[in-house]
Amino acid sequence: MATEYNRKLILEDGSEYYGYAFGEESRRVCELVFNTSMTGYQEILSDPSYASQAVVMTYPLIGNYGMAEEDYETELPVIGGLIVREYNDAPSNFRSTAALGEVMKRYHIPGVWGIDTRKLTRSVRDYGSRKVLLAEASMPLAEGLSLLEKSSLPTDSVARVSCKRIWTANPGAEGFHVVAIDCGMKKNIVQSLCRRGCRVTVVPWNTEADAIRALAPDGLLISNGPGNPEDVPPVIGTVRALRGSLPMFGICLGHQIISLACGAKTYKLKFGHRGGNHPVRNLETGKIEITSQNHSYAVAAESLAQTGLIVTHINLLDQTVEGVKCEKDRIFSVQYHPESAPGPQDSTYLFEHFLKRMEEE
């Protein structure tokens, strides 16, 4: 057990949280957010949507089941950092091939444990997401605050995490051909389509509409990804150009991009939605779905009036828009993750809904 603090967090308001190092011991300025999932730290660590974010895990024990090769959501994790109450460096799980801290060192991800994560989470909830510095415990506060002031959060995260070339999953499949625009797509989204017999062609985030038409897809999926949806006008333009020409399905950032392409507006939430326990009402069926979420931005409900989109799902915690559709243009999207990794499986039916749209086409 460590006895002397060797790491700390410095927030923009001057507050300091002391703890111990795991993973890489490097300085890092990130956006501070929290996640309420009870399991799934590996999927969170490897989700490209967490690019440049330091994630506070509200569940107190992290690392106890190690890391399994099959559970990564991307080959190169880009999360900014991980902050936990208690870190277990001796996992017990027959599927585990490495400890969490070992993997974080491999991918240059700093971690801090021993923090009062309840107090830190309340700070984010009360005052909102903001910049945080992960640094050595000996750093003077004035130096840390100066570094925070001089640092800015990136606006090119989608370009950094998207694939660099076109590639195909399940190439021999005889089912529907889906083109997926990769804005930072989780691996399980592609796998969810492949398990349903689809051939999936994954294209970079800035692929133009004509190039997608040339691939002759049966449907278009716009993936999740990090950051502000207004930072990716090339994707918005592509979706706008293809609107009405084929069925479209948007997930998370893809939901926001579709809404912007149709003329709606988005805004940043105070502290976002992150975790596998968010209740969402399906307005078409009346059912409540427990959903897995990870986003900082939301679609403004009042901006949907002239877009042709109607609201299909509502978050029961804060009444934000969780889903939209346009029957005429065969478009639908959701703010949460139907592939749910980690998370519940209440919403996997949305992939069948996408297949049904393509079948009708």
Side-chain angles (χ1 to χ4, degrees):
M1 175 65 69
T3 57
E4 184 176 347
Y5 295 127
N6 58 9
R7 299 288 287 173
K8 71 176 177 180
L9 312 177
I10 300 177
L11 276 61
E12 291 179 278
D13 61 6
S15 57
E16 297 175 287
Y17 294 77
Y18 286 85
Y20 310 104
F22 73 105
E24 179 172 275
E25 297 184 38
S26 61
R27 293 182 181 179
R28 191 73 58 85
V29 174
C30 305
E31 180 185 18
L32 182 66
V33 300
F34 66 84
N35 187 296
T36 57
S37 297
M38 296 178 68
T39 61
Y41 58 78
Q42 178 172 352
E43 291 88 343
I44 292 166
L45 186 86
S46 57
D47 182 348
S49 293
Y50 285 113
S52 302
Q53 291 181 330
V55 180
V56 182
M57 298 298 298
T58 62
Y59 189 75
L61 177 60
I62 301 297
N64 53 309
Y65 57 81
M67 305 287 278
E69 291 298 326
E70 299 86 356
D71 294 346
Y72 288 95
E73 287 296 333
T74 185
E75 294 180 1
L76 296 172
V78 292
I79 190 172
L82 197 62
I83 302 162
V84 306
R85 175 59 182 170
E86 182 179 349
Y87 168 60
N88 185 320
D89 202 35
S92 176
N93 177 7
F94 74 96
R95 296 178 66 241
S96 176
T97 58
L100 171 60
E102 176 187 342
V103 170
M104 290 171 63
K105 284 183 179 179
R106 184 189 311 162
Y107 295 112
H108 310 292
I109 301 167
V112 184
W113 71 272
I115 296 287
D116 184 346
T117 51
R118 291 177 299 178
K119 180 180 178 181
L120 185 55
T121 299
R122 285 196 297 269
S123 173
V124 176
R125 184 192 63 192
D126 293 343
Y127 302 108
S129 301
R130 53 207 189 277
K131 287 186 290 185
V132 62
L133 171 64
L134 286 68
E136 63 276 13
S138 60
M139 170 179 273
L141 176 59
E143 182 183 347
L145 289 174
S146 175
L147 185 57
L148 279 171
E149 186 178 359
K150 294 175 183 176
S151 302
S152 58
L153 297 174
T155 59
D156 63 344
S157 295
V158 168
R160 289 190 291 116
V161 301
S162 176
C163 64
K164 308 308 178 197
R165 59 177 179 82
I166 296 175
W167 63 279
T168 301
N170 208 17
E174 298 181 357
F176 295 112
H177 177 209
V178 176
V179 165
I181 300 179
D182 179 7
C183 298
M185 184 162 49
K186 294 173 67 179
K187 187 184 298 183
N188 201 38
I189 292 177
V190 176
Q191 293 172 338
S192 296
L193 291 167
C194 291
R195 284 194 293 267
R196 290 164 174 83
C198 295
R199 172 167 57 97
V200 183
T201 300
V202 181
V203 301
W205 70 284
N206 55 354
T207 303
E208 296 182 350
D210 286 344
I212 291 176
R213 290 191 189 98
L215 295 170
D218 298 305
L220 179 68
L221 182 138
I222 304 94
S223 84
N224 67 293
N228 185 342
E230 294 182 1
D231 288 339
V232 288
V235 194
I236 297 169
T238 294
V239 171
R240 184 180 293 124
L242 293 172
R243 179 181 180 178
S245 63
L246 77 172
M248 289 188 191
F249 179 22
I251 295 175
C252 200
L253 182 68
H255 158 76
Q256 300 160 14
I257 288 170
I258 282 177
S259 299
L260 288 170
C262 293
K265 297 185 182 300
T266 57
Y267 64 98
K268 189 170 186 179
L269 296 165
K270 184 177 181 180
F271 49 81
H273 298 159
R274 293 173 183 86
N277 44 18
H278 287 257
V280 167
R281 182 186 297 277
N282 184 326
L283 299 180
E284 297 180 309
T285 66
K287 291 183 178 180
I288 309 301
E289 302 170 24
I290 303 303
T291 67
S292 179
Q293 305 210 6
N294 173 19
H295 61 104
S296 295
Y297 292 81
V299 174
E302 64 276 9
S303 70
L304 292 168
Q306 305 300 320
T307 64
L309 300 173
I310 63 170
V311 178
T312 58
H313 298 75
I314 290 291
N315 189 301
L316 295 182
L317 299 179
D318 59 9
Q319 303 303 305
T320 52
V321 175
E322 291 281 357
V324 297
K325 73 172 184 179
C326 175
E327 289 289 355
K328 179 176 71 71
D329 290 331
R330 297 153 296 163
I331 294 172
F332 73 104
S333 63
V334 290
Q335 182 62 80
Y336 50 93
H337 283 263
E339 85 289 349
S340 299
Q345 299 183 0
D346 295 21
S347 309
T348 56
Y349 71 90
L350 289 165
F351 289 105
E352 277 79 24
H353 186 56
F354 187 36
L355 265 65
K356 184 179 178 182
R357 289 291 179 94
M358 290 187 287
E359 184 178 354
E360 291 171 349
E361 179 70 11

